Amino acid sequence: GLTVVVGPPGTGKTDVAVQIIANLYHSFPSQRTVIITHSNAALNDLFEKVMARGDVDERYMIRLGAGERDLKTMSTHDFTKVGRVEHSLARRATLLEEVQLLSESLGISGRAERGSDGSPSYTCETAEYFNHHHVQKRTKAFERQTNNLDEETANLEAIFPFRNYFEMKSKGEGPLSLLQAREKFSQLDE
Protein backbone atom coordinates (compact mmCIF):
# COMPACT_ATOMS: atom_id res chain seq x y z
CA GLY A 1 0.00 0.00 0.00
CA LEU A 2 0.86 3.65 -0.19
CA THR A 3 0.59 6.08 2.70
CA VAL A 4 0.95 9.84 2.24
CA VAL A 5 1.32 11.96 5.38
CA VAL A 6 0.78 15.69 4.76
CA GLY A 7 0.44 18.64 7.13
CA PRO A 8 2.02 21.86 8.38
CA PRO A 9 5.28 21.81 10.37
CA GLY A 10 5.10 20.64 13.98
CA THR A 11 1.92 18.58 13.68
CA GLY A 12 3.55 15.18 14.27
CA LYS A 13 3.90 13.91 10.72
CA THR A 14 7.30 12.37 11.43
CA ASP A 15 6.10 10.71 14.62
CA VAL A 16 3.11 9.23 12.77
CA ALA A 17 5.42 7.97 10.02
CA VAL A 18 7.79 6.39 12.57
CA GLN A 19 4.84 4.62 14.23
CA ILE A 20 3.59 3.37 10.84
CA ILE A 21 7.08 2.09 9.98
CA ALA A 22 7.35 0.25 13.31
CA ASN A 23 3.88 -1.29 12.86
CA LEU A 24 4.68 -2.42 9.31
CA TYR A 25 8.01 -3.90 10.40
CA HIS A 26 6.42 -5.89 13.23
CA SER A 27 3.31 -6.92 11.28
CA PHE A 28 5.12 -7.91 8.09
CA PRO A 29 8.76 -8.63 9.02
CA SER A 30 9.62 -10.26 5.71
CA GLN A 31 8.34 -7.32 3.66
CA ARG A 32 10.39 -4.30 2.60
CA THR A 33 9.36 -0.73 3.22
CA VAL A 34 10.52 2.19 1.07
CA ILE A 35 10.34 5.67 2.58
CA ILE A 36 10.46 8.71 0.32
CA THR A 37 10.50 12.31 1.54
CA HIS A 38 10.65 15.72 -0.10
CA SER A 39 14.17 16.46 1.20
CA ASN A 40 17.30 14.77 2.46
CA ALA A 41 16.95 16.53 5.81
CA ALA A 42 13.42 15.17 6.24
CA LEU A 43 14.56 11.65 5.37
CA ASN A 44 17.48 11.89 7.80
CA ASP A 45 15.15 13.12 10.54
CA LEU A 46 12.77 10.21 9.92
CA PHE A 47 15.64 7.70 9.71
CA GLU A 48 17.17 8.98 12.95
CA LYS A 49 13.83 8.73 14.79
CA VAL A 50 13.29 5.16 13.56
CA MET A 51 16.79 4.31 14.78
CA ALA A 52 16.23 6.01 18.15
CA ARG A 53 13.01 4.08 18.68
CA GLY A 54 14.94 0.80 18.34
CA ASP A 55 12.14 -1.25 16.78
CA VAL A 56 13.84 -2.00 13.48
CA ASP A 57 17.08 -3.97 13.57
CA GLU A 58 19.89 -1.85 12.10
CA ARG A 59 21.02 -4.57 9.75
CA TYR A 60 17.77 -4.18 7.80
CA MET A 61 18.15 -0.46 7.19
CA ILE A 62 19.80 1.32 4.29
CA ARG A 63 19.81 5.05 3.55
CA LEU A 64 20.15 6.04 -0.11
CA GLY A 65 20.65 9.54 -1.47
CA ALA A 66 22.88 12.56 -1.17
CA GLY A 67 22.27 13.10 2.55
CA GLU A 68 23.27 9.63 3.75
CA ARG A 69 26.59 10.89 5.16
CA ASP A 70 24.80 13.53 7.28
CA LEU A 71 22.95 11.00 9.46
CA LYS A 72 23.31 11.58 13.19
CA THR A 73 22.71 8.24 14.88
CA MET A 74 24.32 6.53 17.85
CA SER A 75 25.08 3.53 15.63
CA THR A 76 28.53 2.52 14.48
CA HIS A 77 27.05 1.14 11.25
CA ASP A 78 27.46 2.83 7.90
CA PHE A 79 23.97 2.95 6.39
CA THR A 80 25.11 3.72 2.85
CA LYS A 81 24.79 1.04 0.20
CA VAL A 82 28.55 0.42 0.26
CA GLY A 83 28.51 0.36 4.07
CA ARG A 84 25.73 -2.23 4.13
CA VAL A 85 27.62 -4.45 1.67
CA GLU A 86 30.81 -4.15 3.74
CA HIS A 87 28.85 -4.98 6.91
CA SER A 88 27.30 -8.04 5.24
CA LEU A 89 30.67 -9.29 4.02
CA ALA A 90 32.26 -8.78 7.45
CA ARG A 91 29.35 -10.59 9.13
CA ARG A 92 29.67 -13.42 6.59
CA ALA A 93 33.40 -13.79 7.35
CA THR A 94 32.72 -13.86 11.12
CA LEU A 95 30.01 -16.51 10.79
CA LEU A 96 32.09 -18.69 8.45
CA GLU A 97 34.96 -18.54 10.95
CA GLU A 98 32.57 -19.77 13.66
CA VAL A 99 31.46 -22.62 11.38
CA GLN A 100 35.12 -23.52 10.81
CA LEU A 101 35.84 -23.52 14.56
CA LEU A 102 32.78 -25.69 15.22
CA SER A 103 33.82 -28.11 12.48
CA GLU A 104 37.33 -28.32 13.88
CA SER A 105 35.99 -28.89 17.40
CA LEU A 106 33.92 -31.82 16.11
CA GLY A 107 36.92 -33.30 14.28
CA ILE A 108 35.26 -32.95 10.87
CA SER A 109 37.91 -30.62 9.52
CA GLY A 110 41.23 -29.34 10.73
CA ARG A 111 43.62 -26.47 10.28
CA ALA A 112 44.94 -28.13 7.12
CA GLU A 113 41.63 -27.48 5.35
CA ARG A 114 41.86 -23.72 5.91
CA GLY A 115 42.99 -21.41 3.15
CA SER A 116 46.66 -20.50 2.80
CA ASP A 117 45.97 -17.27 4.69
CA GLY A 118 44.15 -19.13 7.49
CA SER A 119 40.71 -18.24 6.21
CA PRO A 120 37.82 -20.67 6.75
CA SER A 121 37.33 -23.41 4.18
CA TYR A 122 33.54 -23.05 4.30
CA THR A 123 31.28 -21.10 1.97
CA CYS A 124 27.71 -20.09 2.82
CA GLU A 125 26.46 -23.11 0.87
CA THR A 126 28.77 -25.62 2.52
CA ALA A 127 28.07 -24.06 5.93
CA GLU A 128 24.35 -24.77 5.43
CA TYR A 129 25.20 -28.34 4.42
CA PHE A 130 27.41 -28.67 7.53
CA ASN A 131 24.58 -27.35 9.73
CA HIS A 132 22.06 -29.78 8.30
CA HIS A 133 24.24 -32.89 8.27
CA HIS A 134 26.39 -32.37 11.36
CA VAL A 135 24.91 -29.82 13.76
CA GLN A 136 21.20 -30.62 13.46
CA LYS A 137 21.77 -34.39 13.52
CA ARG A 138 23.86 -34.13 16.68
CA THR A 139 21.31 -31.82 18.30
CA LYS A 140 18.45 -34.23 17.58
CA ALA A 141 20.47 -37.22 18.80
CA PHE A 142 21.22 -35.38 22.07
CA GLU A 143 17.52 -34.57 22.55
CA ARG A 144 16.60 -38.24 21.97
CA GLN A 145 19.23 -39.39 24.47
CA THR A 146 18.06 -36.97 27.15
CA ASN A 147 14.33 -37.76 26.84
CA ASN A 148 14.46 -40.56 29.40
CA LEU A 149 17.31 -39.33 31.59
CA ASP A 150 17.00 -37.94 35.09
CA GLU A 151 18.65 -34.54 34.80
CA GLU A 152 19.73 -34.59 38.45
CA THR A 153 21.85 -37.73 38.09
CA ALA A 154 22.76 -37.68 34.38
CA ASN A 155 26.15 -36.49 33.21
CA LEU A 156 24.96 -34.29 30.35
CA GLU A 157 28.44 -33.00 29.62
CA ALA A 158 29.52 -36.51 28.60
CA ILE A 159 26.85 -36.71 25.88
CA PHE A 160 26.70 -33.02 24.89
CA PRO A 161 27.98 -33.07 21.30
CA PHE A 162 29.43 -29.55 21.21
CA ARG A 163 31.33 -29.47 24.50
CA ASN A 164 34.70 -28.98 22.78
CA TYR A 165 33.41 -26.00 20.82
CA PHE A 166 31.92 -24.29 23.85
CA GLU A 167 34.98 -25.07 25.98
CA MET A 168 36.94 -23.18 23.34
CA LYS A 169 34.52 -20.26 23.78
CA SER A 170 34.30 -20.17 27.59
CA LYS A 171 35.76 -22.30 30.35
CA GLY A 172 34.63 -23.08 33.88
CA GLU A 173 30.83 -22.86 33.71
CA GLY A 174 30.22 -25.83 36.04
CA PRO A 175 27.94 -28.84 35.42
CA LEU A 176 25.80 -28.60 32.31
CA SER A 177 22.02 -28.56 32.74
CA LEU A 178 19.50 -29.44 30.04
CA LEU A 179 18.40 -25.80 29.92
CA GLN A 180 21.99 -24.64 29.40
CA ALA A 181 22.48 -27.23 26.65
CA ARG A 182 19.39 -25.94 24.85
CA GLU A 183 20.62 -22.37 25.24
CA LYS A 184 23.86 -23.42 23.59
CA PHE A 185 21.90 -25.04 20.76
CA SER A 186 20.08 -21.73 20.21
CA GLN A 187 23.47 -19.94 20.12
CA LEU A 188 24.46 -22.25 17.29
CA ASP A 189 21.25 -21.39 15.44
CA GLU A 190 22.17 -17.70 15.47
Side-chain angles (χ1 to χ4, degrees), residues 18 38 153 170:
V18 169
H38 69 285
T153 60
S170 61

Side-chain angles (χ1 to χ4, degrees), residues 16-35 50-51 53-62 84:
V16 168
V18 169
Q19 184 64 45
I20 290 170
I21 292 164
N23 288 342
L24 286 171
Y25 178 75
H26 290 296
S27 299
F28 308 101
S30 63
Q31 298 296 311
R32 295 182 181 170
T33 302
V34 176
I35 302 161
V50 169
M51 292 295 302
R53 184 180 163 109
D55 279 310
V56 181
D57 192 334
E58 292 181 358
R59 65 184 169 169
Y60 298 122
M61 298 184 69
I62 184 170
R84 296 284 79 196

Side-chain angles (χ1 to χ4, degrees), residues 91-104:
R91 177 87 172 124
R92 175 188 176 273
T94 300
L95 292 173
L96 290 176
E97 178 63 26
E98 289 299 316
V99 170
Q100 183 71 36
L101 290 173
L102 180 58
S103 175
E104 289 171 4

Side-chain angles (χ1 to χ4, degrees), residues 127-188:
E128 182 62 30
Y129 176 86
F130 171 78
N131 179 53
H132 181 71
H133 290 284
H134 297 287
V135 175
Q136 295 303 318
K137 283 185 178 181
R138 284 173 170 80
T139 301
K140 289 175 186 169
F142 176 82
E143 290 291 350
R144 280 192 306 272
Q145 285 179 307
T146 58
N147 277 343
N148 299 323
L149 290 179
D150 176 20
E151 188 176 346
E152 298 296 321
T153 60
N155 181 3
L156 296 180
E157 290 177 28
I159 60 172
F160 184 66
F162 308 111
R163 66 182 170 273
N164 291 339
Y165 174 74
F166 284 105
E167 284 174 4
M168 291 166 53
K169 306 277 289 173
S170 61
K171 297 185 185 292
E173 290 182 2
L176 183 70
S177 71
L178 196 53
L179 177 64
Q180 289 171 323
R182 289 184 177 136
E183 287 172 357
K184 293 188 183 303
F185 291 148
S186 67
Q187 288 176 25
L188 292 175

